[in-house]
Amino acid sequence: MIILGVDPGLADTGWGVVGFDGQRYWPVSYGTIKTSPRESQQKRVYTIAEDLLALAARHGASAVAMEDIFFTKNITSAIPVAKVIGAALHGFASVSIPVHLYSPLEVKMAVTGMGRAEKLQVQEMVKILLKLKEIPRPDHAADALADCICYCTHNLSRQLPR
Amino acid sequence: MIILGVDPGLADTGWGVVGFDGQRYWPVSYGTIKTSPRESQQKRVYTIAEDLLALAARHGASAVAMEDIFFTKNITSAIPVAKVIGAALHGFASVSIPVHLYSPLEVKMAVTGMGRAEKLQVQEMVKILLKLKEIPRPDHAADALADCICYCTHNLSRQLPR
């Protein structure tokens, strides 16, 4: 199972690709998509969604795990982020790839077991679970990898007998 | 010139199609797209964007005029609306139809000449400019028709000698 994780943002969208066989994770790739404020907003959200679609196709991702935006965040930045999420929801729906949206709390819980974990604790756990030598940089990419792990733990728990 | 106007919303998106020859407007069609909260958010934003794309294709729209969302609005509803806008931005970009986003103030100014116009004054002017017998219902559709008029006045003023 290959998962594409996405930490959405208009100027800077983090992404990460993780493989998971039900027990072990392996890192495939990660990075960021940047867009320029000199481009129109339509062009920027389109570019981000298309780049994400290309990444999913290149790595054969069967699902997308994305951090959702909530009203508790800085609201002037929340609106453009929500537009990026909408563009990605549309793009992935058009190629029948499901997008799972998670709250920051869900991601922290899934990766560290603690809803109040600090950013660095999440990143440290991402490094350990993916057997990376360093904490992935930049932060957006590390967050996207954490989203992948969140998806896998959620998906695994559904498969376990209750 | 045929314009598709959109008043975006997750549960209820208003749309209107207006023709404009540089001097006169004519109403083509208007209505709303409704989605159910029983569907996933991904399904809902996808349905809205696809329905809008189908409307643009059916009526031969060359541009889309859409009301943008700002942080001054109710923020719990602003995030889903921004996702709908993002989905539409992506969908229309994929078929090379430009989307023009306008603030509520811009729409009021364009339709009534007054930034502080009441909703009913805007709707009354939409009725007069489009030579309709009644104010279009529901409100979301009337707002979408107002967005079309906003696009036309902005576009016309660019063509006039300065």
Side-chain angles (χ1 to χ4, degrees), chain B residues 86-102:
Chain B
L89 287 175
H90 180 260
F92 285 113
S94 69
V95 294
S96 300
I97 295 181
V99 178
H100 300 262
L101 295 169
Y102 298 107

Side-chain angles (χ1 to χ4, degrees), chain B residues 31-49:
Chain B
T32 59
I33 300 163
K34 290 180 191 298
T35 70
S36 164
R38 287 189 299 272
E39 303 275 8
S40 73
Q41 197 174 73
Q42 184 176 18
K43 179 83 195 311
R44 296 174 83 182
V45 303
Y46 181 69
T47 298
I48 296 164

